[in-house]
Amino acid sequence: MSLQVGIVGLPNVGKSTIFNALTESGIPAENYPFCTIDPNVGIVEVPDDRMVQISQYIKPKKQIYNTIEFVDIAGLVRGASKGEGLGNQFLSHIRSVDAIIHVVRCFEDDNVTHVEGALDPTRDIEIIETELLIRDMESLEKRIIKVTKQARTGDKDSIAEKECLEYIIEKVNDGIQVRNIELSENQHGIINTLNLLTNKPILYVANVDENEIQSVERGQLEEKLFKFAHNTGCEAIRLCGNIEQEISTMPQEDRQMFLEEYNLAEPGLYKLINRAYRLLGLETFFTAGEKEVRAWTVRKNTTAPGAAGVIHSDFERGFIKAEIYHFEDLMVHKSESALKEAGKIRLEGKNYIVKDGDVIFFKFNV
């Protein structure tokens, strides 16, 4: 399952620094606007302690983690929807991703310029999201012209879509992001085909400095961002891009000591990656054997045959049964033989909904 998360924000907020840390790629991250023009794409493993814990009892030869693709999209500026700062090109890059991480600068630094002249997280967010809304309005207006013509023929689907678009256009005109508009299941189906920018799930990231990341209390700028996120029904996290990039360049054995110096339990990027994974509505199931323990990605509410198809289409086509136990039961009973004795391994059929943390062996016949 190939899913992409786009990293967006104003220029010079730390997007490329965070992307470098995520992917350990060393792409340019300079103090001037539009350092990034073409989007950089990196494939990142999803940290999951359960892989290590399962491997304690299964003893595989290797471990294979889930992955997510991150896309470093160039900084957007005021007027991007009208082409300012190559905005048309950059907005099209956002259209292709499945979810958005919006990096917001929450640190003072006289050596790093700010395109608006001063820091204001709420204003900075609204600049970006206004440009996304303007582009969505253009898409909606183009679509409703076409649908209105079709609706005149009496086509029921076109009439329903026209009514849906009229309702959404009214809300967007009021400055409401599409993701925050209350829609019926049918309306969601209509609008999802348009791939609107403000309909994508979003996570706000407060990029703070080395001092604030060590503080339990949020700083004034950071608190402003978290309040904005809460009021719009979104999540926010904080991390220090400079520290994360420094950690990413260290040998693995030195990283824990460095984290302890900053009173950090783990790299902030672990939280970022896992939140992005949840943002996409994803869950993990495992396959486990002597050859490998492997994590697999499925969307929530995926059936057992659908999960089998993630491994190979033949598994789904010839699905018979799934032999399943849960990670937490393995932690209690310590081995598959003990799980069997305790009756914790069960057979499930085609209607079974896979749960996060399931360990599955598929039985199929093609």
Side-chain angles (χ1 to χ4, degrees), residues 296-355:
W296 300 89
T297 298
V298 291
R299 293 194 181 275
K300 290 181 180 178
N301 299 317
T302 296
T303 62
V310 171
I311 300 174
H312 197 286
S313 58
D314 284 349
F315 283 29
E316 182 172 14
R317 185 160 52 91
F319 179 89
I320 300 173
K321 291 283 184 182
E323 193 174 85
I324 301 174
Y325 60 88
H326 198 270
F327 160 79
E328 291 181 357
D329 290 327
L330 178 61
M331 294 305 99
V332 173
H333 296 280
K334 314 299 184 186
S335 71
E336 289 187 339
S337 59
L339 285 167
K340 287 179 181 177
E341 289 178 10
K344 294 296 183 180
I345 299 180
R346 63 195 187 279
L347 288 176
E348 298 286 357
K350 292 183 177 181
N351 295 325
Y352 177 74
I353 303 298
V354 173
K355 296 179 178 61

Side-chain angles (χ1 to χ4, degrees), residues 37-216:
I37 295 179
D38 294 324
N40 299 291
V41 180
I43 299 175
V44 178
E45 284 188 348
V46 178
D48 195 328
D49 290 339
R50 294 174 298 182
M51 289 280 286
V52 177
Q53 293 171 285
I54 291 171
S55 298
Q56 290 178 346
Y57 304 114
I58 302 298
K59 308 294 184 184
K61 293 179 181 178
K62 62 180 179 179
Q63 300 169 331
I64 302 177
Y65 286 77
N66 279 321
T67 59
I68 299 180
E69 287 188 10
F70 284 89
V71 184
D72 179 27
I73 297 170
L76 295 168
V77 295
R78 195 186 299 271
S81 59
K82 303 302 180 186
E84 290 293 327
L86 301 179
N88 288 326
Q89 181 180 343
F90 300 161
L91 287 167
S92 69
H93 296 157
I94 300 174
R95 191 175 298 282
S96 67
V97 303
D98 301 285
I100 295 171
I101 289 175
H102 188 160
V103 179
V104 184
R105 179 175 160 186
C106 293
F107 64 89
E108 299 279 1
D109 188 339
D110 293 338
N111 295 317
V112 180
T113 58
H114 192 291
V115 292
E116 290 292 319
L119 293 179
D120 184 337
T122 303
R123 179 209 59 209
D124 292 352
I125 291 171
E126 289 175 345
I127 288 172
I128 298 292
E129 298 195 344
T130 296
E131 298 304 323
L132 301 186
L133 269 176
I134 291 171
R135 178 53 62 88
D136 278 351
M137 180 59 77
E138 292 172 358
S139 299
L140 288 163
E141 288 176 343
K142 285 179 182 177
R143 180 61 187 169
I144 201 168
I145 290 171
K146 183 177 180 180
V147 170
T148 299
K149 292 178 181 178
Q150 295 170 340
R152 291 188 187 124
T153 67
D155 180 72
K156 291 182 179 180
D157 290 340
S158 297
I159 293 171
E161 182 175 353
K162 178 176 178 291
E163 291 174 352
C164 175
L165 293 176
E166 288 172 341
Y167 170 69
I168 291 171
I169 287 172
E170 181 182 353
K171 297 293 184 181
V172 170
N173 268 325
D174 290 336
I176 301 174
Q177 307 282 313
V178 175
R179 76 178 73 85
N180 294 327
I181 300 173
E182 289 189 19
L183 299 172
S184 67
E185 185 176 343
N186 185 52
Q187 288 173 322
H188 274 296
I190 291 171
I191 210 67
N192 286 344
T193 62
L194 299 181
N195 202 21
L196 297 173
L197 304 180
T198 64
N199 196 33
K200 298 178 186 294
I202 191 166
L203 171 69
Y204 296 105
V205 174
N207 188 11
V208 302
D209 63 21
E210 290 86 347
N211 292 324
E212 186 160 338
I213 197 65
Q214 299 178 72
S215 173
V216 176

